[in-house]
Amino acid sequence: MPLGVITRSGRILTAKLLRGEPVEGITHCAIGDGNATFSDPLHPPAPSVEQTGLIHECARKRFYKRSFLEEHQDGALLVNGTRYIETPTETRTIGVFFRFEEAEANGITIKEYGFFGGDVAYVADNQTDFAVDGRYHEITNPTGQVLQWGYLYEVKNIPDFNKTNDTRVEFVGVFRY
């Protein structure tokens, strides 16, 4: 199974950051169920570099922590087979941490996730860092709480991850520069 794909909009976000434009880097993680497009639960379709959003976003959350990371054999953080520790020293590796609490991700068969940055915005009446039902549209999706998707930086499709118990889900985006 391939690792996540850096999208074209992710490359645009990187270019804007390098130019010093006033946009924020990776700020949000979205999770989705892929709708009926994921017909084989153990072999999801490959994500596309052309994607600007998830196929079917169900929930989105702002990061709760960003920190520099350093590879370390005794590190408590394990991502893709590599162990890391957090460090106050500037490194070329950054961890962006997201936590979906028990009630926030329950009932979702997570098949896709993505990291967003830039101009992400929620609808005006959303008072938390959590949003449900994807992108708002007054006719096609009036329950959506995401007003602007922002730039989809990285997207990954995964085999079904069925949440059957009340447990929180944590994602850590590790980015090397």
Side-chain angles (χ1 to χ4, degrees):
M1 179 171 45
L3 297 175
V5 170
I6 305 298
T7 65
R8 291 199 197 287
S9 66
R11 294 171 189 163
I12 291 169
L13 175 61
T14 301
K16 286 179 174 281
L17 290 166
L18 290 172
R19 283 179 41 131
E21 293 189 20
V23 296
E24 203 171 350
I26 306 301
T27 58
H28 290 79
C29 178
I31 56 177
D33 64 12
N35 266 349
T37 59
F38 287 58
S39 57
D40 182 349
L42 297 179
H43 300 93
S48 167
V49 297
E50 301 299 329
Q51 283 183 248
T52 57
L54 299 184
I55 294 170
H56 186 244
E57 182 173 320
C58 297
R60 181 183 291 230
K61 190 102 181 242
R62 184 169 177 81
F63 72 90
Y64 71 88
K65 176 172 61 171
R66 290 190 283 201
S67 60
F68 289 108
L69 301 177
E70 181 179 292
E71 287 187 31
H72 193 283
Q73 66 184 14
D74 298 326
L77 178 62
L78 178 64
V79 178
N80 293 330
T82 303
R83 293 195 172 277
Y84 297 94
I85 58 170
E86 294 180 58
T87 177
T89 306
E90 292 181 8
T91 67
R92 294 179 50 211
T93 306
I94 298 169
V96 186
F97 297 76
F98 304 91
R99 178 181 298 135
F100 290 88
E101 298 298 339
E102 292 176 359
E104 295 172 337
N106 265 357
I108 299 171
T109 299
I110 301 171
K111 298 180 184 179
E112 57 180 341
Y113 66 89
F115 299 112
F116 290 80
D119 57 353
V120 174
Y122 296 169
V123 295
D125 61 349
N126 190 25
Q127 301 298 317
T128 69
D129 61 358
F130 173 72
V132 296
D133 292 337
R135 190 165 186 178
Y136 171 83
H137 185 277
E138 62 186 41
I139 297 169
T140 60
N141 192 17
T143 62
Q145 294 181 335
V146 180
L147 190 59
Q148 295 177 349
W149 279 359
Y151 294 94
L152 175 59
Y153 180 80
E154 182 179 9
V155 63
K156 185 172 183 179
N157 296 342
I158 58 177
D160 288 3
F161 175 63
N162 292 290
K163 288 181 53 55
T164 56
N165 296 319
D166 285 343
T167 57
R168 71 175 149 205
V169 176
E170 299 219 18
F171 290 92
V172 178
V174 175
F175 307 96
R176 290 193 178 113
Y177 299 95

